[in-house]
Amino acid sequence: GKLYFQETTGNWQTSQITKAEGVLGLFVEDTPLDLTFNIRVNLEELRNTALSPTDQPFPPPLPLLAMLDRLEGQADLRLRLEGQAEGDYPETFSGELKLLGASLYRAPFPLPFTNLQGILSFSPDQVETTSLTGKVGSSPFTLEGKVADLQRPNPMMDLQMTAPLEARDLQAFLPSGFPPLATSAGPLALKLSLQGTTQQLQFNHEL
């Protein structure tokens, strides 16, 4: 048998399911999934889910969230589940995560990322954005690029960030003991690119 959903709403923990529709087979191993969820998601809760112990590893890209020391704010998640279920998870999924002023921190990066706005598109193999904006410290920035090959031990990264960096934010990246920068100076245009795998990452910058 099958269950058909349309304009369904509800809650997942503290996150709100604003719309769910599609077809769910009563015997999932025999019937392909075809479900779409729209969820206003609590990002801290989503990160905690990625950190929770489980008998079967979470599918990518969710484990990437476990690498963050802190993740806060809300986002609109559109998730599409398709195909046969493999264990606890569907064979194919895709979606978009629209950030609504989120913030994150990851040591040893010296400054937090705040007021994050933009759309992250994801599939089992990659996460991509064409324009993600926010602030690093007190300086605005724009990020684009992708992280691919998520199902391999060392995913591939190709990211570009531009930022008019304030002097006090630039100071945070300099070695301890470096003379203080003049705060009266205007912002410095920074172009930063990260390319390669998580094991062999090439870092290029232009200031």
Side-chain angles (χ1 to χ4, degrees):
K2 298 180 180 179
L3 291 177
Y4 292 86
F5 296 87
Q6 187 174 6
E7 303 291 338
T8 304
T9 62
N11 292 289
W12 172 66
Q13 298 183 36
T14 62
S15 298
Q16 182 183 7
I17 301 173
T18 57
K19 183 179 180 181
E21 58 186 9
V23 181
L24 175 65
L26 297 180
F27 302 98
V28 176
E29 66 273 14
D30 298 324
T31 307
L33 295 173
D34 185 5
L35 296 171
T36 300
F37 294 93
N38 292 340
I39 306 173
R40 174 64 58 88
V41 66
N42 180 317
L43 292 174
E44 183 178 13
E45 186 174 83
L46 194 62
R47 174 182 172 272
N48 290 339
T49 298
L51 289 169
S52 62
T54 177
D55 294 333
Q56 184 174 349
F58 288 114
L62 189 60
L64 292 177
L65 301 182
M67 299 171 60
L68 302 175
D69 295 312
R70 189 171 71 243
L71 179 63
E72 299 172 346
Q74 290 187 325
D76 284 336
L77 172 65
R78 180 176 176 82
L79 178 63
R80 177 79 183 273
L81 307 177
E82 301 175 273
Q84 301 288 349
E86 293 185 348
D88 294 334
Y89 308 114
E91 182 179 52
T92 303
F93 62 88
S94 61
E96 292 182 345
L97 187 68
K98 183 179 181 181
L99 300 176
L100 306 170
S103 62
L104 64 87
Y105 178 75
R106 172 71 169 99
F109 200 81
L111 296 172
F113 290 88
T114 60
N115 197 30
L116 297 176
Q117 309 273 351
I119 296 176
L120 298 169
S121 302
F122 62 86
S123 68
D125 196 52
Q126 75 173 33
V127 178
E128 182 175 12
T129 181
T130 57
S131 180
L132 181 67
T133 63
K135 286 189 174 182
V136 51
S138 59
S139 303
F141 77 92
T142 300
L143 176 74
E144 64 179 46
K146 65 181 178 180
V147 181
D149 298 334
L150 293 177
Q151 301 191 52
R152 295 185 179 183
N154 297 302
M156 181 72 67
M157 300 178 66
D158 184 5
L159 301 171
Q160 295 82 41
M161 184 180 82
T162 58
L165 208 59
E166 297 286 347
R168 60 180 174 273
D169 294 328
L170 178 58
Q171 188 80 49
F173 291 91
L174 300 177
S176 60
F178 195 92
L181 299 174
T183 56
S184 59
L188 301 174
L190 172 68
K191 293 183 178 180
L192 178 68
S193 67
L194 298 173
Q195 295 177 318
T197 67
T198 52
Q199 190 174 33
Q200 295 182 328
L201 195 60
Q202 184 177 355
F203 174 92
N204 295 302
H205 69 279
E206 189 179 311
L207 189 62

